[in-house]
Amino acid sequence: MDSKTLYARAQRVMPGGVNSPLRACRYVNSEPVFIERAEGAYLWDVEGRKYIDYVLSWGPLLLGHCHPDVAEAVYMAVNKGTSYGAPCEGEVALAEEINKLVPSMEMMRMVSSGTEATMSALRLARGYTGRNKVVKFVGNYHGHNDAFLAAAGSAAQIVPGTPGVPEGVIQYTLLAQYNDLEAVKAHFEQSGDDIACVIVEPVAGNMGLVLPKDGFLQGLRDLCTQYGALLIFDEVITGFRLSIGGAQQRFGITPDLTTMGKIIGGGFPVGCFGGKREIMEHMAPCGGVFQAGTLSGNPVAMASGLATLKALQQCDYDALEARTTKFASELCNILREKGQAIALNRIASVYTLYFSEVPVTNMIESSACNGDLYAAFWQQMHAQGVNLAPAGFECTFTSFAHTDEDLEQTLEAARKVSF
Ligand code: PMP
């Protein structure tokens, strides 16, 4: 069956024909293709067309699709049952592995998505501090919890007034522009006694990729310590991608709580939140902060996550970063030679190429980028078998599975694009 027919069927039974809004490809004035299978750096659609994939399930597949070690671990686990609703060794082993690689996560709890992880971390921060307010940054996305939808990034940014989110729920959400430490300081000066936490994407990935300015993360750390608030790093994108120890290792800053998702399931629905033992022990059944999940610590997902983290430890992050740096800047040059103004933000194996005259350091600058030019670029790349993020305000990822040939073929496709 072809994508057009499937999309028509999907639209009858699912809003917009999708289970997550960006997949509808509306920001690139296109319709989705339906995927039949994926392996390594490639996707194949239902009509047999092959794509070099730079979305990688929105980041987690740093090993590429269907890595043999991960697939093997999943097959083995499935043969032993798919859900127990009771403790199993896999969840202990994955938690131990995460603790080894991200030592600030002394204790953690597994959940099934990034959204659940941030929602639970916020409840814990409130329960632990006895305070209500949360500082979040404009354009940061922490999943679709009510409290975080205020001025969220990613596809949520265009929802006018976030219908369905009562004013009362977001009255505790204080906003600041990313990289604006003074704005955070002002919030603390005004309501420091009632700020439970500051949540931040240590490198923002949902208004395109935006790097923290020098001193920004350290400044947040200092303010939280000074006012007795918790610092939460949302490492759903950065965890195990910026380095094997995530953004906190790369920048040398220790949050009180960390949220993770995606990558720790190696393609399965997993998230987790964790941090200092003293804080985590406020969770039920040790403490009074409640959270639970039937599928939390699911044995198949745990096996997939553990195999992913083990395989990542064998990988050469520096080499991938060097290749991505060269690739992204060549891509940039190709577009500049075509007369386009491009701003490039990159770190490790993730980047965003903005159609922008000015550098992008926050949501205001990200929103000002030219979405029509990005759509034209996306469409022409897609037609040549290159799958980029279907919106200009998202990140593009490379994986350990991308070969030099894949990257060169992508650059060749970009050379053929016209505006
Ligand atoms: N936090 C961040 C930083 C994210 O990028 C995302 C999703 N892209 C989430 C949380 C939510 O994760 P999920 O989609 O698994 O609910």
Side-chain angles (χ1 to χ4, degrees), residues 58 113-116 118 141-144 201 206 234 236-237 262:
W58 302 91
S113 70
T115 294
E116 256 189 278
T118 56
Y141 178 72
H142 304 293
H144 60 89
E201 291 183 62
N206 286 289
D234 182 353
V236 166
I237 289 183
K262 310 188 192 212

Side-chain angles (χ1 to χ4, degrees), residues 193-204:
D193 288 351
D194 198 25
I195 294 178
C197 58
V198 174
I199 187 165
V200 64
E201 291 183 62
V203 171

Side-chain angles (χ1 to χ4, degrees), residues 168-188:
V169 178
I170 53 168
Q171 67 176 321
Y172 297 116
T173 307
L174 308 177
L175 297 171
Q177 288 295 335
Y178 193 74
N179 274 322
D180 185 353
L181 200 52
E182 287 306 311
V184 181
K185 208 180 276 174
H187 282 313
F188 272 109

Side-chain angles (χ1 to χ4, degrees), residues 89-289:
E89 186 177 346
E91 59 194 342
V92 184
L94 182 57
E96 285 172 347
E97 199 68 15
I98 293 173
N99 166 254
K100 180 181 93 185
L101 299 170
V102 187
S104 78
M105 297 176 78
E106 294 171 8
M107 293 186 114
M108 69 204 76
R109 180 150 287 172
M110 298 293 167
V111 292
S112 300
S113 70
T115 294
E116 256 189 278
T118 56
M119 174 184 77
S120 309
L122 175 60
R123 184 174 305 141
L124 173 58
R126 286 172 164 163
Y128 174 76
T129 58
R131 302 171 176 183
N132 287 323
K133 292 185 173 149
V134 46
V135 176
K136 101 166 258 294
F137 295 94
V138 179
N140 276 193
Y141 178 72
H142 304 293
H144 60 89
N145 309 297
D146 286 355
F148 297 139
L149 276 183
S154 189
Q157 62 188 274
I158 47 82
V159 180
T162 56
V165 181
E167 265 307 306
V169 178
I170 53 168
Q171 67 176 321
Y172 297 116
T173 307
L174 308 177
L175 297 171
Q177 288 295 335
Y178 193 74
N179 274 322
D180 185 353
L181 200 52
E182 287 306 311
V184 181
K185 208 180 276 174
H187 282 313
F188 272 109
E189 278 162 7
Q190 198 171 356
S191 22
D193 288 351
D194 198 25
I195 294 178
C197 58
V198 174
I199 187 165
V200 64
E201 291 183 62
V203 171
N206 286 289
M207 45 180 161
L209 186 86
V210 177
L211 296 171
K213 286 185 177 162
D214 279 354
F216 177 60
L217 296 175
Q218 184 63 53
L220 297 181
R221 175 66 280 174
D222 295 343
L223 282 169
C224 285
T225 305
Q226 184 186 340
Y227 285 90
L230 302 187
L231 178 62
I232 305 177
F233 272 9
D234 182 353
E235 294 232 38
V236 166
I237 289 183
T238 54
F240 302 102
R241 181 169 278 277
L242 292 206
S243 76
I244 195 73
Q248 52 198 273
Q249 182 187 69
R250 182 141 180 160
F251 293 101
I253 293 181
T254 307
D256 301 296
L257 291 176
T258 300
T259 54
M260 299 244 181
K262 310 188 192 212
I263 197 161
I264 62 163
F268 277 75
V270 183
C272 81
F273 62 101
K276 288 189 182 127
R277 168 180 296 273
E278 182 222 335
I279 301 170
M280 289 304 291
E281 283 189 335
H282 282 68
M283 297 301 300
C286 306
V289 179

